[in-house]
């Protein structure tokens, strides 16, 4: 009996020790409250860990842990705000669309989905985790397109002015890769706040001119949209970059540091990271036609794809004509009335999935059903031709350049407005007590 009592006492003691141990090791905590949502500390820590691992692999220096944490929290806040907006308008990327996106990515890399999965898992990321990350990326791209494109107006006069410039000068033969650091200045800044921001900009400028690493300084100090990417923007033609950039980089050389330049957002410092030439003498155009179905609460992804499978079978068997089905069913109003005809176009004007489908087809061939950001398509390649940069091409190119510039500017405005209107409460971690 005594032995049994001692055993029970030992088990109770062990159980109590586990409870005490668990009590002092919280699993997670809320770091940020954003409207009705939250960001957990584990999300912040996970993103910091990923950025550090990527930086180590690239031999990239990073700022202090505090500065990096601040930038990560800001990125997560903007991401969460956009995802909340997507939820409010009912934007959801279903599994069928996600599978198609993954298949498109694998095709671009000339590998199978199975090989792509093996590569991802060999890097230590589960394929399920990769799928959810990709679902979020696609959702962000879609919500940005939906919300920002309606804010953009490209007037015929703007296009004509740029076409005239192109005709006078030829297409600009250089694209710039620009590094950007934004020192935030409050919209209603006091003289003391403006002086403090100016001093910060001067310190950043001095460090850059002394040869310090631009990317690590941008991560630590910038309030710009590309801060976590080291402030680096993708290569841009001078006509498609934000107006502020275009006004000052025209005659700049690689490694030139420009600024500070004052705008309504704050003080900007730019660095020309690289420049490269453009090949624009000839373009390959394609002539195509398509049928588009847009999934909705009424038309599910599965039903839309099933309808496309039936259309394709009917066309191949000769039971129906492509143009008749397009007129009856296609949800692209511009082409449906013309039997799905899209005419001659540079394939680069289409979204990536549509462009990729066209480039993989032989003349006269019809694609299998595929998903783009617009919906489910089947597309037929009717012809290819190589042409000079004609006036029509210049007009299309001018529209693209102006649209891209305005999209970048309006995207930042939209994000700033969402953040300003949101309820955001950041809970700083309690200091460790010895």
């Amino acid at each position: 009996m005594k032995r049994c009592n001692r055993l029970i006492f030992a088990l109770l003691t062990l159980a109590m020790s586990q409870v005490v141990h668990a009590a002092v090791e919280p699993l997670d905590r809320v770091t940020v409250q954003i409207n009705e949502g939250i960001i957990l500390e584990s999300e912040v820590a996970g993103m910091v860990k990923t950025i550090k691992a990527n930086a180590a692999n690239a031999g990239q220096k990073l700022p202090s842990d505090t500065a990096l944490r601040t930038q990560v929290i800001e990125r997560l806040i903007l991401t969460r705000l956009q995802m909340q907006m997507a939820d409010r308008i009912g934007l959801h990327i279903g599994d069928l669309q996600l599978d198609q996106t993954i298949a498109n990515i694998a095709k671009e890399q000339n590998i199978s989905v199975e090989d792509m999965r093996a590569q991802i898992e060999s890097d230590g990321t589960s394929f399920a985790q990769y799928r959810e990350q990709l679902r979020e990326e696609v959702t962000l791209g879609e919500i940005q397109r939906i919300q920002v494109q309606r804010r953009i107006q490209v007037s015929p006069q703007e296009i004509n002015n740029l076409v005239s410039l192109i005709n006078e000068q030829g297409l600009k033969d250089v694209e710039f890769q620009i590094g950007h650091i934004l020192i935030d200045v409050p919209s209603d800044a006091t003289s003391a706040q403006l002086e403090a921001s100016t001093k910060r900009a001067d310190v950043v400028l001095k460090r850059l001119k002394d040869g310090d690493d631009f990317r690590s300084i941008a991560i630590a100090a910038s309030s710009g949209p590309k801060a976590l990417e080291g402030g680096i923007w993708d290569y841009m033609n001078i006509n498609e970059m934000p107006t502020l950039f275009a006004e000052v980089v025209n005659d700049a050389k690689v490694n030139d540091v420009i600024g500070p330049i004052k705008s309504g957002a704050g003080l900007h410092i730019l660095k020309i990271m690289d420049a490269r030439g453009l090949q624009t003498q000839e373009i390959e155009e394609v002539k195509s036609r398509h049928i588009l179905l847009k999934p909705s609460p009424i038309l599910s992804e599965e039903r839309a794809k099933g309808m496309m499978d039936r259309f394709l079978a009917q066309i191949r068997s000769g039971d129906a004509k492509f143009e008749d089905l397009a007129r009856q069913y296609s949800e692209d109003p511009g082409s449906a009335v013309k039997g799905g005809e899209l005419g001659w176009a540079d394939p680069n004007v289409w979204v990536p999935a549509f462009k990729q489908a066209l480039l993989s087809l032989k003349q006269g061939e019809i694609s299998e059903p595929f998903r783009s950001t617009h919906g489910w398509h089947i597309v037929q390649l009717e012809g290819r031709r190589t042409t000079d940069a004609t006036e029509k091409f210049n007009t299309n190119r001018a529209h693209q350049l102006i649209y891209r510039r305005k999209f970048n500017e309006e995207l930042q405005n939209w994000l700033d407005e969402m953040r300003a209107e949101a309820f955001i409460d950041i809970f700083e971690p309690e200091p460790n007590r010895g």
Side-chain angles (χ1 to χ4, degrees):
M1 263 318 258
K2 289 181 181 178
R3 229 167 127 187
C4 182
N5 288 338
R6 284 199 297 272
L7 179 59
I8 292 172
F9 178 76
L11 289 171
L12 287 171
T13 302
L14 178 62
M16 290 177 67
S17 71
Q18 293 299 318
V19 171
V20 171
H21 182 66
V24 298
E25 290 188 6
L27 295 176
D28 214 337
R29 70 176 184 85
V30 174
T31 297
V32 185
Q33 181 180 351
I34 311 173
N35 296 327
E36 67 277 11
I38 58 172
I39 294 172
L40 296 173
E41 180 61 27
S42 57
E43 296 177 79
V44 177
M47 192 168 182
V48 168
K49 182 179 178 182
T50 299
I51 290 171
K52 286 186 173 182
N54 291 341
N57 290 337
Q60 174 66 49
K61 293 191 296 183
L62 288 173
S64 68
D65 286 352
T66 301
L68 179 59
R69 177 184 171 83
T70 299
Q71 292 285 20
V72 163
I73 289 174
E74 184 62 25
R75 175 63 60 85
L76 288 171
I77 287 172
L78 292 177
T79 297
R80 195 58 49 87
L81 285 172
Q82 292 174 82
M83 296 298 288
Q84 288 176 355
M85 174 67 77
D87 285 340
R88 283 198 292 274
I89 69 170
L91 174 62
H92 174 69
I93 306 303
D95 288 340
L96 199 59
Q97 180 179 353
L98 195 62
D99 291 340
Q100 183 68 49
T101 302
I102 290 171
N104 289 341
I105 293 172
K107 194 172 182 180
E108 284 178 357
Q109 298 175 358
N110 293 317
I111 59 175
S112 67
V113 173
E114 291 73 22
D115 289 341
M116 178 178 161
R117 178 175 187 152
Q119 285 183 8
I120 290 166
E121 292 181 340
S122 70
D123 292 335
T125 302
S126 73
F127 196 63
Q129 183 182 1
Y130 170 79
R131 282 177 61 87
E132 293 313 306
Q133 289 171 347
L134 184 61
R135 194 193 306 272
E136 182 175 88
E137 289 176 17
V138 175
T139 303
L140 292 176
E142 278 289 276
I143 192 65
Q144 289 174 5
R145 182 182 63 81
I146 292 168
Q147 294 296 320
V148 176
Q149 71 177 4
R150 64 187 183 185
R151 299 162 63 111
I152 298 173
Q153 298 276 335
V154 180
S155 71
Q157 186 61 47
E158 288 177 292
I159 294 175
N160 291 338
N161 290 342
L162 184 52
V163 168
S164 296
L165 186 64
I166 289 171
N167 289 334
E168 289 171 12
Q169 303 179 355
L171 285 173
K172 289 289 184 180
D173 59 356
V174 175
E175 286 183 317
F176 294 95
Q177 185 187 52
I178 296 175
H180 172 236
I181 294 173
L182 171 63
I183 305 299
D184 188 41
V185 178
S187 57
D188 53 350
T190 64
S191 57
Q193 289 174 319
L194 181 58
E195 183 180 354
S197 296
T198 302
K199 286 182 179 178
R200 284 172 54 210
D202 290 341
V203 169
V204 167
L205 196 60
K206 183 178 186 305
R207 289 181 61 190
L208 291 174
K209 290 184 175 178
D210 288 344
D212 284 9
D213 181 67
F214 185 94
R215 290 173 173 83
S216 60
I217 295 175
I219 294 173
S222 180
S223 298
K226 301 288 186 180
L228 275 182
E229 289 79 27
I232 307 301
W233 288 65
D234 291 336
Y235 284 92
M236 293 180 290
N237 178 282
I238 196 168
N239 293 310
E240 63 189 311
M241 62 181 61
T243 306
L244 178 77
F245 295 4
E247 289 174 347
V248 296
V249 305
N250 195 19
D251 298 317
K253 302 183 294 298
V254 174
N255 293 323
D256 280 0
V257 176
I258 305 164
I261 306 162
K262 193 174 187 308
S263 79
L267 300 171
H268 305 260
I269 296 172
L270 308 180
K271 181 176 180 179
I272 309 301
M273 309 300 293
D274 193 16
R276 68 185 184 190
L278 289 173
Q279 301 300 318
T280 57
Q281 288 81 7
E282 290 185 335
I283 58 167
E284 184 181 77
E285 293 184 324
V286 294
K287 187 172 185 286
S288 61
R289 59 183 175 181
H290 80 137
I291 300 172
L292 168 67
L293 293 178
K294 298 179 181 180
S296 67
I298 298 172
L299 180 65
S300 68
E301 293 277 347
E302 291 77 11
R303 188 169 167 228
K305 184 179 184 300
M307 289 177 66
M308 284 299 191
D309 287 330
R310 288 195 298 275
F311 294 163
L312 186 60
Q314 290 171 345
I315 295 167
R316 287 177 173 170
S317 67
D319 293 335
K321 293 182 178 179
F322 194 113
E323 55 269 31
D324 293 338
L325 292 174
R327 288 190 183 96
Q328 184 175 357
Y329 294 105
S330 182
E331 295 183 79
D332 176 7
S335 68
V337 295
K338 297 181 285 187
E341 289 290 345
L342 295 169
W344 289 100
D346 177 357
N348 291 308
V349 305
W350 309 123
V351 294
F354 198 88
K355 170 188 170 182
Q356 185 182 67
L358 277 172
L359 295 180
S360 68
L361 295 175
K362 297 175 182 176
Q363 187 164 327
E365 191 176 4
I366 303 174
S367 73
E368 295 294 324
F370 66 94
R371 183 66 156 86
S372 80
T373 54
H374 298 297
W376 284 94
H377 308 256
I378 54 174
V379 59
Q380 182 176 32
L381 176 65
E382 298 181 288
R384 295 183 188 275
R385 72 182 183 189
T386 299
T387 183
D388 292 333
T390 60
E391 183 176 346
K392 180 180 177 182
F393 170 72
N394 286 345
T395 300
N396 291 338
R397 179 67 171 156
H399 184 278
Q400 292 172 44
L401 294 172
I402 295 168
Y403 181 88
R404 239 185 107 180
R405 169 172 56 79
K406 290 191 173 186
F407 188 93
N408 288 330
E409 294 171 347
E410 287 300 325
L411 174 60
Q412 187 58 46
N413 291 337
W414 175 62
L415 292 174
D416 289 344
E417 289 167 12
M418 268 206 308
R419 199 190 190 293
E421 294 169 1
F423 171 80
I424 299 172
D425 197 358
I426 301 174
F427 305 103
E428 294 298 335
E430 295 182 6
N432 294 327
R433 296 177 183 176

